[in-house]
Amino acid sequence: MVKKRLMESKKCFCDTGLSFNACCGLYLEQNQKAPTALALMRSRYSAYATHNADYLLETTHVSERQYYSKTEILKWATSNQWQKLEILSSSEDTVEFKAYFLNADRQPQTHYEFSTFRFEKEGWFYVDGKFE
Ligand SMILES: [Zn+2]
């Protein structure tokens, strides 16, 4: 019981203000499918914060998966400290965002991306992104 209460009170990484269990935890830990591109994008940010490379690969569209390696994803996820996600705009299948993090040298960095998503069969997938 104590453990459950602690889990519920943990705020989600993606800055919705919801608890992790009621937010990205549904997709990262309870196998639910993110219902929108925006929810998927938020959960992918939380996957970086929790070093969940498997989830990041699984939610990358199959046509793009060859360009990613689990080792590289894990390296990027763990070498940075993920601080904040800011959604700038979103549509049904795009999300524009900034992710704030400290790099390995503890320098503050911002990752800007305009991401495209695709709904296929059972859920949403990340296709690719434009960077500034
Ligand atoms: Zn979340």
Side-chain angles (χ1 to χ4, degrees):
M1 285 302 280
V2 172
K3 189 173 178 222
K4 189 160 185 277
R5 222 168 23 240
L6 283 174
M7 290 291 288
E8 277 167 359
S9 66
K10 189 172 76 177
K11 285 264 185 285
C12 194
F13 303 94
C14 78
D15 279 329
T16 46
L18 298 168
S19 73
F20 177 72
N21 278 8
C23 191
C24 299
L26 295 174
Y27 320 124
L28 289 165
E29 291 183 350
Q30 295 180 54
N31 275 328
Q32 291 193 30
K33 296 285 178 193
T36 62
L38 181 58
L40 182 73
M41 194 276 127
R42 287 184 174 282
S43 71
R44 287 174 53 87
Y45 173 84
S46 293
Y48 277 109
T50 56
H51 310 158
N52 192 336
D54 286 328
Y55 183 84
L56 288 159
L57 274 180
E58 282 163 18
T59 56
T60 297
H61 192 262
V62 67
S63 65
E64 301 288 322
R65 224 171 272 170
Q66 60 189 305
Y67 304 116
Y68 297 88
S69 85
K70 191 174 164 177
T71 315
E72 285 302 310
I73 291 173
L74 216 47
K75 212 167 113 189
W76 173 246
T78 55
S79 62
N80 300 319
Q81 272 188 357
W82 301 91
Q83 302 204 294
K84 191 164 100 92
L85 175 67
E86 184 183 355
I87 305 295
L88 302 174
S89 69
S90 65
S91 71
E92 193 190 355
D93 60 357
T94 64
V95 181
E96 184 184 17
F97 67 91
K98 282 180 181 173
Y100 297 86
F101 61 95
L102 300 179
N103 67 13
D105 301 320
R106 295 283 183 271
Q107 298 300 310
Q109 305 285 325
T110 308
H111 172 83
Y112 165 87
E113 185 170 335
F114 185 91
S115 302
T116 304
F117 298 83
R118 193 182 301 167
F119 189 83
E120 223 171 75
K121 291 172 197 156
E122 76 276 33
W124 283 97
F125 293 91
Y126 171 71
V127 181
D128 57 15
K130 282 183 230 144
F131 313 94
E132 218 162 45

